[in-house]
Amino acid sequence: MHSLLSIIASEEPWERALTSLVQLGTPDEEKRKIHGNKRLVWMIQIVNGSMRSIQPREQQRTARGVWTKGRMIALRRLFQESQGLDFLTEQDRQICAVIASESGYYTGYFYDYSWFKVMLAMVGHPLVFWEDAPDVNVEVVRVEPELLVEEKEGQVSIRFAESVEREGVIAIQETPTRCKLVEITAAHKRISEILGNKGLQVPVGAKERVMQAMQAVSPLVTIHSGIGGSMANMEEIPADATPHVHLLPHGDGLKVNLRVRPFSGEGPYFQPGKGGKTIIAEVAGKQVQTNRNLLDESQKATTVVAASAVLPAEEGLNEWVLEEPEQCLELLLNLQTVADQVVVAWPEGEKMRIGRPVAMDGMRVRIQRDQDWFAVTGELQVDESLVMGMTQLLDLIRGKESRFVPLGDGKFLALTETFRRRLAEIDSFSEQSAKRRRFHPLAGTVFRELFAGAGTVDADRHWKAHLKRIDQAQSIDPALPSTLRAELRDYQVTGFRWLARLAAWGVGACLADDMGLGKTIQALALLLHRAQEGPSLVVAPTSVGLNWLGEIDRFAPTLNGIVFGSGQRQQTLDVLKPFDVVICSYGLLQQESEMLAAVHWNVIVLDEAQAIKNRLTKRSQAAMALTGSFRVATTGTPVENHLGELWNLFQFLNPGLLGSLEVFNERFASPIERQGDKGAQKRLRQLIQPFLLRRLKSQVLEELPSRTEIVLHVELTPEEMAFYETLRRKAIENIESLDGPAEQKRFQVLAELMRLRRACCNSRLVLPDSPIESSKLAIFWEVVEELLENRHKALVFSQFVDHLSIIRALLDEKKIAYQYLDGSTPAKERQRRVDAFQAGEGDLFLITRCSSFLMLDMGQRGRKAAVSADRTPNRALQGLSISDGWPA
């Protein structure tokens, strides 16, 4: 007896626990079938491991074979009339019997003590759905609790995955389409008591004893073993590491769940690469085991996630919510690329079906002349049974950024991203005509590129001839005119040749180079190149007109510059001949519109073409009435306020290219200006790119000279001239009435001259309350606007402090940031303002000429900036002098 007691006493607690587990063990289950046009479905909702509600509904099959949403059936009626409802299955009646035996129901909700018995009766029922996702068919399964066997820090830990404190059922949504019921029995509770609250800790050396205990309780639980080993006399199935992607409709999107199912389509699911290596579970009514390859599972899951670009690849993340339908469709398309490496599980009533993406090479295109335009038709071969017309396809993608085209009934056509962009461009660059699309001939280069990848392009002879003409024009390499007396920089030669090629094509051109890059000299080279073909017209602001005449005399003396305005204007036009260049102000263009429109010009140049930005002005209408072989617009600011100005400019250059103003606003202006649509912006740029050339100073910095000087002549208004004349006569009277020595008279003359000079700048410098608008201030603001538009800084000089005060008031009104210096500025403050300006604070620096010594404080860079462009990228610094002269 003593010997027996000593043996018992020497047995460790863990050994006694394993012995107890060996002594435990148990087994059972069934199915059913649907017929007729009525059925009973069960809607369930799970919250925190419990069934929150179970709601039966009676559904009917429609003539189209679709089941209705269904109507609720009261549980009392279901119990009382279950035998009379012939559409109920045997399993439905068994569930009703459970409801009745408990009699613990109220208005469709079950008390906690009875819901799990109802759910257990629901196991295997084919018509269970989620209450918040009624289209999702739920598989209800009963499973044993999971026993986790893990090796940690020299010990083997044995514990339950779920809390097994009391008998009953725990409801778990294992996947979007699977609800597992973990049934806790008295045997499970006994195992839990043996293991203890924190689980059982066993020495690593006792692994064989652990496996013996696990084999004994394997009929009662699902075992996740992380210590390896196999159960004797138990069938072993090769583990399946294939990822399973479960998709559950969620609002307009999807819930995505990534799992593995080691028992090849049967049994429980696990997170890839996580959990026990050895799994022992009941599958298809018998106990089996498998050994998972956790590394292989992780690698295969990573491959699937990497192929699905819309799923964030975060380590350990296996569940996602995709809110947008676009993301969902992208996922489905991505999963097709790994279809042989993944199992995709859709719920019943799948919402999204998508084929492989189609590209431009599936399109058959036909182009033919349609009066003055070209018409295009096309067909897309989607598959053997579906062919879509181009017009139908464009209607479906219009206004959408998605590359997925809905075909109805949950079906979608996937376009490659390149194909989608091309279709959007075709739609933007064409318009509907009868049953086909048509496009402007000037968009020919764009459409040739768009259809380059089409499967077939069937074009008529007119389209082929049109493309040939474009190619011939683009292939010419014109030499600079020999009579041009100027050394053009490389970018200017490029600009001249670009103009000449567009002239050969017969289309208009917008030369939009930055201020100071020589737009005039490039235009003069073009005028010389075409001079023999007839007289040309240059329309320019009055302040620039004399510059044109001077530039012609200086650089192109073989041209005959004629200022339009003085003398007999009609007679001037009547005797025009080749090499004549008429220089006309915008004011006279408007005044003599009919006279100028009657001439067919060789080249028409609109200088500072932003002058016609407003389509409703008479000036713009007069420009549109002009006729010529080649139209050129030169401007540093093709758009100042809104895109309608660009439309009007191109209406002058290439009428019809951008469509009507209404169409332009719908396709380009509104999306770009109101919504910031980058796609529309890119398409607009693509459409006008062949006809617009713009270079910034930063792009041609190395080719620029050390100094660029532009002189603008300002013509005083009649009011200013009258004011000046009054002052001039008064000055003469003051001088003639002066008695005294000659030296005194000399000082009086200088004073009167200074007064006249100040009047030329601004009448308010002489008469502070003068209501007369200053022409010089207006020109100054135009120049500043262009400088700021092109992201330049500028130094502004004037001899008169009070003149700068007027300029300051204007800048304050326009909310333009600036720095300011005059002779009264303290030395320390001067340096602070110079440093602030060079640090980027302010776009303009106002400086009085009488304090020009202050420039020394700015260092060598500042002194150079006063007279030339500073060679700093993007923010060139210019010297802008407000001269204080007077009219001749």
Side-chain angles (χ1 to χ4, degrees):
M1 185 66 176
H2 179 270
S3 172
L4 179 61
L5 286 173
S6 66
I7 293 173
I8 295 173
S10 66
E11 188 177 33
E12 292 288 340
W14 61 265
E15 292 182 289
R16 289 197 300 274
L18 291 179
T19 302
S20 299
L21 291 175
V22 169
Q23 298 170 4
L24 293 172
T26 39
D28 183 290
E29 221 7 82
E30 73 188 67
K31 270 211 184 218
R32 87 120 212 234
K33 163 177 151 189
I34 309 161
H35 57 274
N37 292 320
K38 287 186 180 182
R39 68 180 187 179
L40 186 70
V41 299
W42 301 87
M43 302 292 179
I44 64 173
Q45 185 180 33
I46 296 174
V47 177
N48 297 327
S50 297
M51 193 62 59
R52 183 167 183 173
S53 71
I54 302 175
Q55 186 184 100
R57 283 180 174 271
E58 178 188 335
Q59 293 183 335
Q60 290 189 336
R61 197 196 305 264
T62 67
R64 294 176 57 224
V66 178
W67 292 102
T68 62
K69 183 179 179 181
R71 61 187 182 88
M72 289 180 57
I73 297 183
L75 295 175
R76 186 184 301 276
R77 178 189 167 219
L78 199 56
F79 167 66
Q80 293 173 348
E81 302 178 16
S82 62
Q83 298 305 316
L85 300 174
D86 59 0
F87 58 87
L88 265 60
T89 64
E90 189 57 38
Q91 190 174 9
D92 289 330
R93 292 191 171 91
Q94 289 174 6
I95 297 172
C96 293
V98 173
I99 294 170
S101 66
E102 291 298 328
S103 66
Y105 62 90
Y106 180 71
T107 62
Y109 288 87
F110 294 81
Y111 296 114
D112 289 343
Y113 66 81
S114 62
W115 68 263
F116 61 86
K117 293 186 178 180
V118 177
M119 283 301 300
L120 287 173
M122 207 175 282
V123 169
H125 198 296
L127 297 177
V128 180
F129 300 86
W130 297 122
E131 188 176 304
D132 55 355
D135 292 331
V136 180
N137 198 185
V138 182
E139 178 189 11
V140 181
V141 296
R142 182 176 60 196
V143 299
E144 301 88 1
E146 296 177 350
L147 200 60
L148 308 181
V149 183
E150 303 167 305
E151 185 176 333
K152 291 181 180 179
E153 301 175 355
Q155 295 277 312
V156 175
S157 168
I158 306 173
R159 62 185 175 85
F160 276 108
E162 302 90 3
S163 174
V164 186
E165 295 179 355
R166 58 191 176 89
E167 296 180 45
V169 172
I170 302 171
I172 300 173
Q173 183 177 330
E174 185 179 29
T175 73
T177 59
R178 180 177 161 103
C179 172
K180 68 179 184 181
L181 304 175
V182 183
E183 185 177 10
I184 312 298
T185 65
H188 299 134
K189 195 167 182 298
R190 174 64 183 137
I191 295 173
S192 178
E193 291 169 353
I194 294 171
L195 296 177
N197 292 335
K198 295 183 179 180
L200 181 65
Q201 305 300 314
V202 180
V204 173
K207 282 186 181 180
E208 289 188 18
R209 293 283 306 277
V210 172
M211 295 306 296
Q212 182 185 4
M214 293 305 98
Q215 184 162 3
V217 297
S218 62
L220 300 171
V221 294
T222 296
I223 298 173
H224 296 228
S225 174
I227 62 172
S230 298
M231 301 296 177
N233 303 317
M234 184 179 292
E235 181 183 354
E236 184 171 338
I237 296 175
D240 185 355
T242 304
H244 286 239
V245 177
H246 291 260
L247 304 173
L248 174 68
H250 176 77
D252 292 332
L254 289 173
K255 283 184 180 178
V256 184
N257 196 299
L258 184 60
R259 294 287 186 268
V260 291
R261 204 172 193 184
F263 291 103
S264 300
E266 301 280 350
Y269 289 92
F270 301 91
Q271 292 192 39
K274 296 183 179 180
K277 182 178 179 181
T278 302
I279 307 297
I280 302 168
E282 182 178 325
V283 176
K286 64 179 180 178
Q287 293 296 120
V288 291
Q289 61 184 328
T290 191
N291 285 296
R292 299 168 63 196
N293 186 330
L294 301 181
L295 179 60
D296 190 28
E297 289 180 1
S298 295
Q299 290 175 340
K300 288 183 175 181
T302 300
T303 299
V304 170
V305 174
S308 307
V310 295
L311 299 180
E314 296 181 26
E315 188 174 351
L317 183 62
N318 293 305
E319 294 183 0
W320 302 266
V321 175
L322 303 181
E323 302 285 1
E324 301 296 328
E326 178 83 5
Q327 293 177 306
C328 303
L329 292 165
E330 199 70 58
L331 173 64
L332 296 181
L333 205 57
N334 293 338
L335 289 174
Q336 288 184 10
T337 65
V338 288
D340 58 340
Q341 304 171 48
V342 66
V343 174
V344 179
W346 266 104
E348 185 181 296
E350 168 190 344
K351 285 191 172 181
M352 296 178 179
R353 294 187 299 281
I354 191 166
R356 293 198 173 275
V358 294
M360 191 71 187
D361 59 7
M363 179 76 78
R364 297 191 297 267
V365 176
R366 176 172 175 75
I367 305 174
Q368 57 188 17
R369 188 168 69 174
D370 182 4
Q371 297 179 358
D372 293 332
W373 289 46
F374 285 100
V376 58
T377 54
E379 290 181 339
L380 176 67
Q381 186 77 43
V382 178
D383 53 39
E384 293 181 358
S385 60
L386 179 60
V387 176
M388 297 183 70
M390 180 187 290
T391 300
Q392 178 190 4
L393 197 55
L394 295 180
D395 288 342
L396 289 171
I397 64 110
R398 185 172 298 118
K400 301 183 180 72
E401 288 299 316
S402 173
R403 66 192 185 99
F404 301 102
V405 180
L407 300 177
D409 293 330
K411 296 180 181 178
F412 290 84
L413 170 65
L415 312 174
T416 64
E417 187 57 37
T418 300
F419 190 24
R420 184 201 67 78
R421 286 198 303 268
R422 290 200 175 188
L423 288 172
E425 289 163 0
I426 290 170
D427 192 47
S428 289
F429 304 152
S430 65
E431 62 181 44
Q432 190 63 36
S433 172
K435 294 184 179 180
R436 53 190 180 181
R437 306 290 295 185
R438 66 172 194 160
F439 60 89
H440 197 283
L442 295 185
T445 54
V446 173
F447 275 89
R448 173 163 58 181
E449 183 179 338
L450 289 177
F451 295 135
T456 60
V457 178
D458 181 14
D460 68 7
R461 60 185 179 86
H462 301 289
W463 173 246
K464 293 175 182 177
H466 181 66
L467 294 182
K468 183 178 180 181
R469 181 181 177 189
I470 294 174
D471 290 339
Q472 288 174 340
Q474 296 302 309
S475 65
I476 68 171
D477 188 19
L480 283 170
S482 58
T483 55
L484 181 67
R485 293 183 179 177
E487 284 291 329
L488 297 191
R489 295 183 279 278
D490 289 347
Y491 74 87
Q492 292 174 331
V493 173
T494 299
F496 157 70
R497 287 177 176 158
W498 175 77
L499 289 169
R501 287 168 186 149
L502 290 187
W505 180 5
V507 297
C510 178
L511 184 58
D513 282 345
D514 204 349
M515 175 186 278
L517 294 189
K519 294 187 287 291
T520 301
I521 195 68
Q522 294 173 71
L524 279 176
L526 186 280
L527 289 171
L528 272 174
H529 176 69
R530 293 180 55 91
Q532 292 181 344
E533 298 182 33
S536 296
L537 173 68
V538 173
V539 183
T542 304
S543 60
V544 179
L546 292 179
N547 282 10
W548 271 91
L549 194 59
E551 300 283 82
I552 288 173
D553 291 341
R554 181 180 175 188
F555 299 118
T558 54
L559 294 178
N560 179 31
I562 302 170
V563 176
F564 185 70
S566 58
Q568 297 294 318
R569 295 169 185 166
Q570 185 60 60
Q571 186 177 350
T572 299
L573 299 179
D574 289 341
V575 296
L576 290 176
K577 56 189 181 300
F579 286 87
D580 286 344
V581 177
V582 175
I583 302 168
C584 173
S585 69
Y586 280 101
L588 279 176
L589 169 65
Q590 179 179 327
Q591 185 178 332
E592 302 293 358
S593 174
E594 291 186 11
M595 189 184 297
L596 293 167
V599 179
H600 183 82
W601 302 95
N602 169 24
V603 178
I604 301 171
V605 179
L606 294 191
D607 192 19
E608 303 295 342
Q610 64 270 20
I612 66 162
K613 63 186 178 182
N614 187 343
R615 68 183 182 89
L616 299 176
T617 61
K618 291 183 178 180
R619 176 186 296 178
S620 172
Q621 293 163 8
M624 299 299 170
L626 296 173
T627 59
S629 301
F630 182 47
R631 298 184 176 203
V632 181
T634 65
T635 173
T637 52
V639 178
E640 290 184 309
N641 302 303
H642 54 80
L643 286 174
E645 298 170 358
L646 183 71
W647 177 86
N648 203 52
L649 186 60
F650 269 83
Q651 194 65 7
F652 167 76
L653 295 172
N654 294 313
L657 174 64
L658 300 182
S660 66
L661 181 59
E662 182 181 1
V663 169
F664 176 78
N665 286 336
E666 179 184 338
R667 292 181 179 170
F668 299 112
S670 293
I672 294 171
E673 293 176 339
R674 296 180 184 177
Q675 299 149 27
D677 189 332
K678 298 295 183 183
Q681 190 174 6
K682 182 180 178 182
R683 290 191 289 273
L684 176 58
R685 189 183 303 117
Q686 184 180 358
L687 189 57
I688 65 176
Q689 181 269 332
F691 315 105
L692 187 145
L693 182 62
R694 178 167 177 77
R695 279 80 57 93
L696 302 178
K697 281 193 174 71
S698 58
Q699 296 171 303
V700 295
L701 212 53
E702 296 305 316
E703 297 185 50
L704 293 179
S706 59
R707 169 175 174 167
T708 301
E709 184 173 317
I710 303 172
V711 178
L712 299 178
H713 297 273
V714 181
E715 185 176 319
L716 300 185
T717 63
E719 292 83 2
E720 288 176 304
M721 285 296 293
F723 180 74
Y724 176 84
E725 183 61 20
T726 300
L727 290 179
R728 188 183 68 83
R729 291 179 180 178
K730 182 66 174 172
I732 293 172
E733 289 178 13
N734 291 342
I735 293 169
E736 289 178 346
S737 63
L738 185 64
D739 292 329
E743 188 67 19
Q744 184 180 356
K745 202 165 190 176
R746 182 165 160 269
F747 278 112
Q748 182 65 33
V749 169
L750 290 175
E752 295 296 343
L753 286 174
M754 181 62 72
R755 183 179 173 84
L756 291 174
R757 289 181 63 193
R758 288 167 59 81
C760 291
C761 290
N762 194 309
S763 61
R764 284 189 285 161
L765 296 180
V766 176
L767 188 63
D769 296 329
S770 172
I772 301 172
E773 297 291 335
S774 169
S775 299
K776 185 170 288 188
L777 190 63
I779 292 294
F780 166 81
W781 177 243
E782 288 181 12
V783 173
V784 167
E785 275 192 305
E786 186 166 348
L787 287 171
L788 298 183
E789 176 73 23
N790 290 287
R791 302 180 67 245
H792 295 308
K793 287 179 174 286
L795 305 179
V796 181
F797 298 94
S798 179
Q799 180 178 349
F800 307 122
V801 174
D802 47 356
H803 192 190
L804 289 182
S805 296
I806 293 174
I807 292 173
R808 291 178 71 181
L810 172 67
L811 297 179
D812 289 338
E813 179 188 340
K814 300 292 185 180
K815 293 183 172 54
I816 304 299
Y818 62 90
Q819 296 292 337
Y820 175 82
L821 279 181
D822 64 27
S824 65
T825 307
K828 288 185 179 180
E829 182 61 17
R830 295 173 194 166
Q831 189 59 50
R832 190 198 69 77
R833 294 182 186 179
V834 168
D835 292 343
F837 184 69
Q838 292 190 331
E841 296 180 26
D843 294 310
L844 302 176
F845 204 142
L846 278 55
I847 304 171
T848 58
R849 283 241 184 241
C850 60
S851 60
S852 58
F853 68 89
L854 295 172
M855 294 303 296
L856 296 174
D857 295 337
M858 298 183 71
Q860 180 59 34
R861 176 181 173 185
R863 292 198 300 276
K864 185 176 181 182
V867 294
S868 65
D870 180 22
R871 299 192 176 208
T872 51
N874 299 324
R875 299 289 287 181
L877 194 60
Q878 303 264 334
L880 179 63
S881 175
I882 307 296
S883 26
D884 307 314
W886 57 84

